[in-house]
Amino acid sequence: MSHSEPHLPGFELPLHCSLSEPLLLGGAPRSVAILNGTVAAVVGLGLQLWLPGLALWLAGHALAVWGARLDPQFMQVFARHIKYPSLLDV
């Protein structure tokens, strides 16, 4: 076999985008969007504070979309960051 051949015959599979891209809901990570919507619904519907609930949802979703644009896995990174103690704190 020569090095000019890019792949071995029979060892090629299509890779679907759903296997490599993160799950986003409205541009935000799915778990964050669901949690944010639930908290906003509790404030808006449960406490009947409609405008603060809407403002909370808009602010939370905008922050989640901003974070997902920077790094789609920012929640996993943040969770790992919280898990380990700081080594350089005095």
Side-chain angles (χ1 to χ4, degrees):
M1 172 174 217
S2 67
H3 290 286
S4 63
E5 200 171 325
H7 60 275
L8 295 172
F11 289 96
E12 182 178 318
L13 292 173
L15 180 65
H16 296 281
C17 293
S18 63
L19 296 174
S20 61
E21 293 178 0
L23 288 172
L24 300 177
L25 188 64
R30 184 175 177 262
S31 60
V32 176
I34 291 171
L35 180 65
N36 184 36
T38 303
V39 170
V42 165
V43 171
L45 297 174
L47 299 176
Q48 294 186 359
L49 298 172
W50 304 104
L51 290 178
L54 182 63
L56 181 67
W57 177 78
L58 283 173
H61 192 75
L63 284 173
V65 168
W66 175 73
R69 282 187 182 168
L70 293 177
D71 183 9
Q73 297 178 347
F74 77 96
M75 285 306 295
Q76 290 89 348
V77 173
F78 181 69
R80 185 172 290 172
H81 169 72
I82 296 297
K83 183 179 174 182
Y84 294 113
S86 298
L87 297 176
L88 301 177
D89 285 345
V90 177

